[in-house]
Amino acid sequence: TFLTSMPLRTLAPDTALLFITRIARMFAYGFLSVVLALYLAEIGFDAAQIGALFTLALIGDAVISLWLTTSADRFGRQRTLIVGAALMLFAGMAFAFTKNFFILAIAAIIGVISPSGNEIGPFLSIEQASLSQIIRDEQRTRIFAWYNLVGSFATALGALCGGGLVQALQGAGAPAVESYRTIVIAYAAMGAALALLFTRLSAAIQPRVISDPSLKTRLGLHRSQSVVLKLSALFALDAFAGGFVIQSLLAYWFYTQYKVDPGMLGAIFFGANIFAGISSLAAARIAAKFGLINTMVFTHIPSNILLILVPLMPNLGLAIALLLARFSISQMDVPTRQSYTMAVVAPDERSAASGITTIARSVGAALSPSLAGVLLSTPFLAAPFFIAGGLKIVYDLALYRSFITMKPPEEETNTSLGAKRSNLSK
């Protein structure tokens, strides 16, 4: 079956290690995301302040990650990953041990902390570039699908464990704020563990050929600059829309609308991330048949329609069902988007290209949580869902129009082979 066609135990050491760091990091993000907004509320911040901190975290991530990823191919991918893990440790410790908004804002800007449960920091860009360096073109989308699958499963397990641990601690008599703080401290510890794991990577993850430095721009790109900037603009729109419904704010919405407890929230997002992971794996098979751009667009539009319908449901059960249905197809664009970006740039542009497009997403996502926080403080609780779903559909249509004719190498090869077979049969 497809699920057994890529046994992870057969991966090369560096590839396997990058999967392990992905699992550890995404577990940490999921572990924290379910309780982060609740923790900040418990130590005295209102919804608007929480949204502002999340926005600062995403803006800071964009700036720091842009600097790190565009220089990673020369500074060293391994060293850059270690720096990112250290920033994750720093942010976790700051959030755990201060209630001062100004200090937390600095930690959010400089450090690496994920309010959404999604990837943040320089890790994704550099790991994708490294994986693309050590695998073949025809393996790329499938490997990226597995990479996203294990990440989604790890996030799901982290969300379940985070919510369950808080529930257990409070059930044993721990004050709510201390149960939440335990999660934040554990997040910081996971940053330290990641730094140790990254020291085990080899030089094979570095690009073997570096183009003439005179061709470089300040963004670390040469021939692919216009393509990357156009993709970045579109990805920023998609991420801006997604920032209205990040996991922490969805958890806050369920808590506000239906008084769902932390344990139940953990279970909801465990299921959501499991479905998301399965959807990303299915994307590789669909893309092999229909192409990367088609897969990105025509699976994303239905998921956004389902997102719009979530707050219109008359009860908690149906709202959860629609959310899970949405997650079951929502991530098919992720490995395909990542694979497409790596495919249309030169090998020594990959860290920069992935970094710039990822940072564009971070910038887009950074602008919307504060707006969503304001909306969640008003009677218009459904507005973030409507805004997110509508803007994402606009992104899908614009992406299709702009890039449907630009094929990645493996699709051009398949097209050429198909044409040759057709000619031979005549």
Side-chain angles (χ1 to χ4, degrees):
T1 68
F2 182 71
L3 287 172
T4 59
S5 64
M6 182 56 66
L8 299 182
R9 65 180 179 274
T10 67
L11 296 177
D14 282 323
T15 310
L17 185 56
L18 289 170
F19 270 74
I20 291 169
T21 57
R22 167 77 167 175
I23 291 167
R25 186 172 64 256
M26 298 309 293
F27 178 91
Y29 291 163
F31 193 66
L32 179 68
S33 66
V34 170
V35 303
L36 182 57
L38 303 181
Y39 169 66
L40 292 171
E42 191 67 30
I43 62 176
F45 299 116
D46 60 29
Q49 289 174 309
I50 293 169
L53 278 175
F54 290 173
T55 288
L56 290 171
L58 294 170
I59 290 174
D61 170 65
V63 174
I64 297 297
S65 295
L66 180 63
W67 174 55
L68 291 174
T69 55
T70 54
S71 58
D73 286 347
R74 284 176 167 74
F75 176 69
R77 290 174 178 172
Q78 180 189 46
R79 282 187 285 181
T80 307
L81 289 168
I82 293 170
V83 169
L87 292 175
M88 183 175 165
L89 168 62
F90 163 71
M93 295 301 288
F95 270 73
F97 294 110
T98 184
K99 299 179 183 179
N100 184 286
F101 184 86
F102 179 72
I103 296 175
L104 288 177
I106 293 174
I109 292 168
I110 298 174
V112 173
I113 194 160
S114 176
S116 63
N118 295 328
E119 188 70 84
I120 196 169
F123 308 107
L124 176 67
S125 302
I126 299 170
E127 288 182 351
Q128 286 179 344
S130 300
L131 286 169
S132 297
Q133 189 67 39
I134 54 182
I135 59 178
R136 300 190 304 274
D137 283 344
E138 59 270 23
Q139 293 179 304
R140 189 182 56 253
T141 303
R142 183 180 292 183
I143 288 287
F144 279 17
W146 278 96
Y147 176 83
N148 283 280
L149 174 71
V150 299
S152 292
F153 278 24
T155 303
L157 185 59
L160 185 65
C161 291
L165 179 57
V166 164
Q167 196 79 5
L169 289 171
Q170 292 182 11
V177 67
E178 293 304 322
S179 67
Y180 298 145
R181 184 173 287 116
T182 299
I183 302 297
V184 182
I185 293 171
Y187 173 85
M190 292 175 195
L194 270 177
L196 292 175
L197 287 170
F198 286 133
T199 63
R200 306 295 301 274
L201 290 168
S202 77
I205 66 170
Q206 281 293 117
R208 289 182 288 274
V209 178
I210 301 292
S211 296
D212 183 351
S214 65
L215 297 174
K216 293 289 181 180
T217 72
R218 286 180 295 177
L219 295 176
L221 301 171
H222 42 90
R223 68 175 177 83
S224 307
Q225 185 175 11
S226 63
V227 171
V228 171
L229 293 180
K230 186 182 291 186
L231 284 171
S232 296
L234 290 169
F235 293 168
L237 173 62
D238 180 46
F240 174 75
F244 282 93
V245 287
I246 59 175
Q247 189 160 297
S248 290
L249 292 179
L250 284 176
Y252 186 82
W253 182 81
F254 275 104
Y255 178 79
T256 302
Q257 188 79 353
Y258 295 108
K259 305 302 179 186
V260 180
D261 61 48
M264 182 64 176
L265 288 172
I268 290 171
F269 290 105
F270 172 79
N273 284 288
I274 290 293
F275 282 124
I278 293 171
S279 76
S280 70
L281 186 61
R285 193 172 192 175
I286 295 171
K289 185 173 183 180
F290 298 106
L292 292 174
I293 292 293
N294 286 332
T295 303
M296 291 163 66
V297 171
F298 294 111
T299 61
H300 208 223
I301 290 175
S303 79
N304 296 322
I305 294 171
L306 290 171
L307 177 65
I308 291 169
L309 294 175
V310 169
L312 300 179
M313 294 300 101
N315 56 56
L316 174 61
L318 288 175
I320 293 172
L322 262 291
L323 184 70
L324 294 179
R326 186 255 174 174
F327 271 93
S328 71
I329 55 174
S330 68
Q331 297 300 296
M332 289 188 184
D333 73 310
V334 175
T336 46
R337 180 186 71 228
Q338 295 165 351
S339 181
Y340 186 81
T341 303
M342 294 295 93
V344 295
V345 302
D348 63 324
E349 294 180 295
R350 284 173 175 157
S351 290
S354 182
I356 291 164
T357 54
T358 300
I359 278 103
R361 292 186 61 81
S362 294
V363 170
L367 301 175
S368 39
S370 58
L371 299 175
V374 172
L375 291 170
L376 289 172
S377 302
T378 72
F380 303 106
L381 291 177
F385 293 86
F386 300 150
I387 295 170
L391 288 176
K392 280 177 170 289
I393 291 172
V394 171
Y395 152 77
D396 291 325
L397 298 176
L399 179 70
Y400 184 83
R401 181 176 180 179
S402 298
F403 287 97
I404 187 59
T405 60
M406 183 177 289
K407 305 294 184 183
E410 62 272 25
E411 290 180 23
E412 289 180 346
T413 300
N414 290 340
T415 300
S416 299
L417 289 174
K420 288 179 180 179
R421 291 191 188 103
S422 178
N423 290 334
L424 288 172
S425 66
K426 291 179 180 180

